[in-house]
Amino acid sequence: MFIEPKRGRSKDSRMGWIEVICGSMFSGKTEELIRRLNRAKIAKQKVEIFKPSIDIRYHEEDIVSHNQNAIRSTPINAATEILLYTGDCDVVGIDEAQFFDEAVVDVANSLAAMGKRVIIAGLDMDSTGKPFGPMPGLMAVAEYVTKVHAICMICGDIAHYSYRKVSNGNQVMLGEADTYEARCRKCYHLPDESAEKL
Ligand code: ZN
C-alpha cells in the first residue's frame, strides 16, 4: 500500500532550512535578522534567539542592533547549548555567529533536520580580511546566503571590509564607531599612518 508522505504544515514532517546573513560591521546584519524574526513572531511562530555571551556590548539579554531595535535573546557560552533551549520552537535566530566555535555548523544542521528555520547573522571577515570563525562553514551548508553591505566611510562606495582603526593584537575585539570603519576594497588598502592593522 502506498502511503503518501506528509507535506506542508505538520511540524513532524517538515524539513527546516538555514539562512545566513553576513557582511561587515555597520552593514545592517542584525537589523535584517530582527526583521525576519519579527515577521515570524507576527505569524505566531515560536522564536528563540541566541548570541555568544562574549557579546555584552549593551544589554546581557537583548540583541540590540545599532538602531536600538531590541529583541530578547539568550546569551550562551557554547553553540551546543542552543540544542538545550530549542525544543518546541519554529525559528532559531543566532546573532554574532562568528564568535561561536565550529560546532555551530553541526548545531545548525541538526536544527534544520528537526524542521526548524535557522537564521544566522555574523561577520564574514575579521578586520584583517580573513574569513571569520565558523562563518565559511555556515555559509556552505546554508540554503540561503544574504550578503549585506555597509557604506565606505572614506569614499561612500559599497563597503564589505571592517577596518580596525586601533589594534590590540586579538582577532576578537568588540567595539563601535571609535574602533572600526566600514571601508570599500580600495580604501581598505589605502596606506594610513594614523591607523594600523594587525
Ligand atoms: Zn572607499
Side-chain angles (χ1 to χ4, degrees):
M1 187 176 78
F2 175 74
I3 301 171
E4 195 176 4
K6 282 191 197 170
R7 291 171 201 274
R9 314 188 76 78
S10 162
K11 261 191 204 175
D12 300 328
S13 63
R14 195 174 56 195
M15 201 67 194
W17 68 88
I18 301 170
E19 303 167 31
V20 169
I21 304 160
C22 65
S24 67
M25 298 193 65
F26 314 109
S27 63
K29 297 182 299 300
T30 300
E31 285 89 342
E32 177 60 17
L33 174 66
I34 289 169
R35 188 185 73 85
R36 295 184 191 184
L37 293 171
N38 275 335
R39 283 189 311 167
K41 282 169 83 173
I42 290 166
K44 304 277 191 285
Q45 294 187 328
K46 191 159 185 301
V47 174
E48 295 283 351
I49 308 151
F50 302 92
K51 66 177 179 181
S53 52
I54 191 173
D55 184 35
I56 49 168
R57 273 174 290 184
Y58 303 98
H59 188 285
E60 292 228 340
E61 291 194 353
D62 285 334
I63 284 182
V64 182
S65 66
H66 302 191
N67 70 6
Q68 301 297 306
N69 221 344
I71 281 193
R72 293 196 64 78
S73 73
T74 307
I76 54 169
N77 295 311
T80 48
E81 289 176 38
I82 294 172
L83 297 170
L84 303 175
Y85 299 106
T86 46
D88 63 339
C89 73
D90 305 296
V91 184
V92 180
I94 304 174
D95 198 22
E96 303 285 359
Q98 75 277 356
F99 291 137
F100 281 117
D101 48 290
E102 289 290 335
V104 73
V105 180
D106 288 339
V107 168
N109 274 329
S110 298
L111 293 167
M114 289 177 221
K116 300 182 195 308
R117 176 186 179 191
V118 187
I119 314 175
I120 299 163
L123 287 166
D124 47 7
M125 287 189 286
D126 65 19
S127 62
T128 70
K130 302 269 186 342
F132 207 144
M135 291 303 291
L138 289 167
M139 291 159 75
V141 300
E143 275 87 345
Y144 306 100
V145 177
T146 304
K147 187 150 180 162
V148 289
H149 300 90
I151 301 299
C152 176
M153 293 174 190
I154 305 291
C155 76
D157 276 352
I158 292 296
H160 77 308
Y161 285 109
S162 305
Y163 181 87
R164 184 189 291 173
K165 296 189 282 183
V166 190
S167 175
N168 75 345
N170 296 324
Q171 184 184 40
V172 176
M173 186 170 169
L174 301 172
E176 288 306 314
D178 54 337
T179 315
Y180 294 96
E181 277 178 359
R183 290 202 181 184
C184 71
R185 185 178 296 276
K186 176 172 56 88
C187 297
Y188 178 80
H189 292 288
L190 283 177
D192 186 346
E193 320 76 51
S194 65
E196 53 172 323
K197 297 195 284 290
L198 272 180

